[in-house]
Amino acid sequence: MSDRALYQRLLLDHNRNPRRRGRLTDPTHQAERANPLCGDRLHLTLRIVDGAIADAACETTGCAISRAAASILVDRLPGATTGEALEFADRVERFCRGEPPTASCCPPADPDEALSALAGVRDYPMRIRCALLACEALRHALSTRPGPAPSQKFPP
Amino acid sequence: MTTTLDTAPIRDAFPILRESGAAAPLVYLDNAATTQKPDCVIDAVSRFYRRDNANVHRGVHALGHRATTAFEDARQRVRQFINAADAGDIVFTSGATEAINLVAHAFAERFLAAGDEIVVTELAHHANFVPWQVAAARHGATLRVIPATDSCDLDLDAYEGLLGPRTRLVAVGHVTNVTGTVHDLPRIIAAAHRRDIPVLVDGAQAVARLPVDVRQLGCDFYAFSGHKAYGPTGIGVLYGTRARMSELPPWRTGGGMVDTVTITDATWQSPPHRFEAGTPNIAGAIGLAAALEFLQQIGMARVAAHERRLLDHALARLEPIPGVRCIGAPVRRTGIVSMACDRVHPHDLATLLSDQGIATRAGHHCAQPLMRRLGLAATLRASFGIYNTTADIDRLADALPAILEVFR
C-alpha cells in the first residue's frame, strides 16, 4: 500500500491494538465526545499533576480512523505538559487537514512517524471528523475543571 | 402479472449513470438516502426557470399564469400518483420532515393536552419520532412506542394494547429505512380508526418502491419527499384528508395563506394554501411531477417487483459472506438491506467500497432508537432503485470479502 493509503499497516495496527485503552480509575480531567454522523464515541481520561499529564487513557468505540487517531494521540500524552498536549493536538489536526505545521508545533523537517498513519485521511474529507474526535476530546477535557465528565448533549 | 423491468433504457435516462464511465460504472446503492435524477426531471426544472419562471397565485401576467398552471398541474399529478380524492388534499412542503413537523406542530397545538398520548414506533426514522417527542414535551403529553421484534417487524399485539382513551394520534412508517420492513398498515390503521384515532404515515421510503393508494390505505396523513422518488431535493408532500386538514391551524404564517388581514387580525385560507405560506418551491414541484410521471410510465407494480427481486438477490449473495450478518427478517420487505460485520466498523467498509465506485451508506440511518434495540452503533446499508441491476449487487458482494480481510 502507498503511504497515502487510508488503511495502511500502522493505522490498522493502532485500530487492532489501541494504546492506553480504557479508563483511568483516578482521572483529574476527562471528556466524552461522539460523532453523531457515524456513531463514533470516545471517553478520554487524564491524570494531571503539576501541569503535566501523568497518565492518560481512552476508551473508543467506532471506526478504524477514530480508534487509531485516539490511540496515536493518547500514546503521546504522558509526560507532556498540558500546553505541549494541546500543541500536539493542533499538529494532528493540521496534519490531517493537509495544512503545513506551524513553527511552534512542528519543525517542518521533523517528519512524524506516528502521524504518518493518518496521512490517508487527507484524501477523505468525509472522514476527517473521525480522525479529530480525540483532539476535540482532549481540548474539551483540558478546558474543563477537574471532575466527572460532562457528557456532550446532542439535540434530542 | 407484471413483466420484468428492463433496466437498460432506465439507466440510460440517468445522466449520472450514463456518464460514470464504462470502465468502472457507478454502483449507486444509497437510494434510501436519495435517488439519482433522470433527464426528464432535470429538464423540467431547467425548462421552468428558462421559460416559465414567475411567482404563483399572484401575477396576472402570462408568465404568472404559466407558472401557476404548471404548479397546480404538479399538485394534480401528485394527487393522481397516490390516488388522493382531491388536489386540495395535497400540500407541498420541503420534504417528508417538514410535512411531519407541520402535522406534529399544528395537530398538537389544536388537540394535544397534558396527559394525552401519541403512539410512535421503535422502527421510525428520527423524522417521524423527534417531532412527536418535542410536541409531546411541549404539551405535557407522553409518547408510547410500538416495540420492534427481533425480526424488525412491529409488535402489533403490543400496539393494540397501547391504544387507549388518551391516544390522540398514531405516527408510523410505511417502509422502514434501515431494514426495508413494509408495515402492516391496514391492520395498524384499522385498529386506530376503531377508536377514531388519526394515523400519520411516513411514506418517504415507500412512494418510489411500492404502489401507494392513500384512499385504499385509509390513512389520515401521508408524508413523503420528492428526492427519494427521483425528484428534486427541497420538495415534498403532505397528504391529508380534507376533514383532518380543515381542523388544523396554520403552522407557518405569511403571504399566500391568508384570506383577510387587518391591523388586529387575520383569517386563513382553506387547505392546501393555508399550509403553504410564502413562495413555494415551484420548480421543485414541477420536477417532482416529472419524476412521478416517469415512475408511472414504468408502472409501480413493476417497480415493486424489481425492488423485491433485487432484495432477494442481495440476501442470497450477502448472507453467505463470512463475517456479514443481514439485520432483521421482516415478514414483508422491499429493497433495503442493512448489514453488521464482525469487528469492522461500517464507515470503514463504506469508505473502501467507495474507492471501488460503490456507494453505500454507513451509520445509524437516523434511527437511533432502533440501533439501540439492535445493540448496534451503526450498520452498512445497501438500498436499491429502479436503475439497479443484480450485477450492481454482485459488485458489492464480490468486493466485501477482500475488504473485510483488510481488518482481520
Side-chain angles (χ1 to χ4, degrees):
Chain A
M1 276 188 188
S2 84
D3 55 359
R4 288 297 289 269
L6 183 57
Y7 296 98
Q8 49 185 286
R9 196 157 5 120
L10 186 56
L11 183 139
L12 290 170
D13 178 57
H14 275 283
N15 173 46
R16 262 186 222 107
N17 308 298
R19 321 296 193 257
R20 301 182 175 277
R21 130 204 257 171
R23 296 188 191 200
L24 299 180
T25 52
D26 53 351
T28 57
H29 294 67
Q30 52 186 320
E32 188 167 301
R33 273 288 177 272
N35 178 357
L37 287 179
C38 57
D40 295 339
R41 184 171 288 274
L42 59 80
H43 189 108
L44 177 71
T45 48
L46 304 170
R47 192 158 55 79
I48 298 178
V49 180
D50 298 332
I53 297 174
D55 206 355
C58 194
E59 189 178 82
T60 313
T61 52
C63 65
I65 312 297
S66 67
R67 284 162 61 88
S71 170
I72 289 164
L73 179 80
V74 79
D75 199 33
R76 187 62 73 93
L77 296 180
T81 65
T82 54
E84 287 165 347
L86 289 170
E87 272 178 18
F88 186 65
D90 287 346
R91 182 167 157 191
V92 171
E93 175 154 3
R94 296 186 72 83
F95 184 85
C96 290
R97 294 191 187 284
E99 295 166 3
T102 56
S104 71
C105 74
C106 178
D110 172 26
D112 191 306
E113 203 197 323
L115 285 190
S116 70
L118 297 172
V121 175
R122 295 170 188 173
D123 296 326
Y124 295 83
M126 302 293 283
R127 303 301 300 276
I128 285 181
R129 177 94 200 264
C130 308
L132 298 183
L133 201 60
C135 295
E136 225 182 85
L138 176 72
R139 293 187 188 110
H140 191 74
L142 293 179
S143 72
T144 52
R145 280 208 279 228
S151 72
Q152 186 185 10
K153 176 137 173 83
F154 293 112
Chain B
M1 260 323 276
T2 54
T3 52
T4 55
L5 192 144
D6 182 7
T7 49
I10 291 174
R11 292 179 71 83
D12 202 45
F14 286 80
I16 213 163
L17 299 175
R18 218 164 48 219
E19 290 156 20
S20 74
L26 170 67
V27 175
Y28 187 79
L29 299 174
D30 195 16
N31 295 284
T34 196
T35 51
Q36 299 302 336
K37 317 305 172 199
D39 287 316
C40 62
V41 168
I42 298 167
D43 291 347
V45 171
S46 167
R47 198 165 49 236
F48 170 73
Y49 283 127
R50 286 172 188 280
R51 294 205 322 223
D52 302 328
N53 179 57
N55 212 327
V56 291
H57 304 304
R58 287 159 176 83
V60 294
H61 49 75
L63 282 180
H65 175 67
R66 288 217 296 275
T68 302
T69 302
F71 184 66
E72 292 305 322
D73 285 351
R75 204 189 299 276
Q76 275 293 351
R77 173 67 63 181
V78 175
R79 181 208 68 74
Q80 185 197 4
F81 189 79
I82 60 172
N83 196 30
D86 192 281
D89 302 341
I90 306 298
V91 174
F92 283 118
T93 65
S94 68
T97 297
E98 191 184 65
I100 296 167
N101 272 276
L102 189 167
V103 179
H105 191 96
F107 186 89
E109 186 177 308
R110 174 84 169 74
F111 294 110
L112 210 58
D116 285 346
E117 295 170 358
I118 295 170
V119 172
V120 296
T121 84
E122 201 173 25
L123 285 166
H125 187 282
H126 292 165
N128 201 19
F129 195 92
V130 181
W132 304 110
Q133 205 173 44
V134 170
R138 188 177 293 134
H139 296 274
T142 312
L143 283 195
R144 306 296 301 273
V145 183
I146 311 173
T149 65
D150 291 338
S151 63
C152 289
D153 286 298
L154 288 175
D155 182 342
L156 292 188
D157 293 333
Y159 159 66
E160 286 170 2
L162 292 177
L163 297 174
R166 300 305 299 267
T167 311
R168 292 289 168 263
L169 185 135
V170 174
V172 296
H174 193 168
V175 170
T176 294
N177 72 314
V178 179
T179 54
T181 307
V182 181
H183 295 305
D184 187 353
L185 288 182
R187 181 174 165 192
I188 291 169
I189 292 167
H193 282 183
R194 276 197 294 277
R195 294 171 173 271
D196 199 28
I197 300 164
V199 178
L200 176 139
V201 178
D202 171 7
Q205 297 296 348
V207 281
R209 293 198 167 83
L210 305 170
V212 172
D213 181 329
V214 289
R215 276 188 290 174
Q216 193 180 22
L217 288 172
C219 56
D220 302 85
F221 304 102
Y222 195 95
F224 67 93
S225 295
H227 73 96
K228 293 188 200 292
Y230 309 96
T233 54
I235 188 74
V237 168
L238 173 65
Y239 158 81
T241 61
R242 172 161 302 190
R244 294 291 183 190
M245 293 297 271
S246 303
E247 295 175 334
L248 299 186
W251 178 40
R252 288 172 179 169
T253 53
M257 51 76 66
V258 286
D259 264 338
T260 311
V261 181
T262 66
I263 295 294
T264 54
D265 212 353
T267 56
W268 318 130
Q269 287 217 25
S270 301
H273 302 294
R274 183 187 299 171
F275 303 104
E276 292 179 355
T279 298
N281 182 353
I282 307 163
I286 290 165
L288 172 59
L292 298 183
E293 188 179 355
F294 182 77
L295 283 170
Q296 282 176 322
Q297 281 164 4
I298 298 168
M300 287 309 296
R302 284 167 75 203
V303 170
H306 181 67
E307 292 271 354
R308 180 69 222 191
R309 199 158 40 243
L310 292 173
L311 175 74
D312 289 341
H313 187 75
L315 294 173
R317 286 292 327 263
L318 296 169
E319 276 179 332
I321 300 174
V324 171
R325 182 165 58 90
C326 293
I327 305 297
V331 175
R332 288 203 307 142
R333 68 189 302 188
T334 179
I336 300 172
V337 59
S338 271
M339 291 157 271
C341 298
D342 293 346
R343 289 179 297 155
V344 188
H345 194 280
H347 256 72
D348 298 319
L349 293 176
T351 294
L352 286 174
L353 287 168
S354 170
D355 284 351
Q356 299 185 38
I358 304 168
T360 57
R361 167 85 188 273
H364 54 58
H365 314 296
C366 297
Q368 288 182 19
L370 172 60
M371 289 292 145
R372 208 159 290 128
R373 166 72 171 79
L374 295 169
L376 297 166
T379 69
L380 182 76
R381 180 182 71 186
S383 52
F384 313 124
I386 47 177
Y387 33 65
N388 287 126
T389 61
T390 52
D392 288 341
I393 291 160
D394 290 340
R395 286 260 309 269
L396 170 67
D398 291 343
L400 274 175
I403 292 174
L404 291 170
E405 196 54 41
V406 172
F407 297 93
R408 285 280 179 269

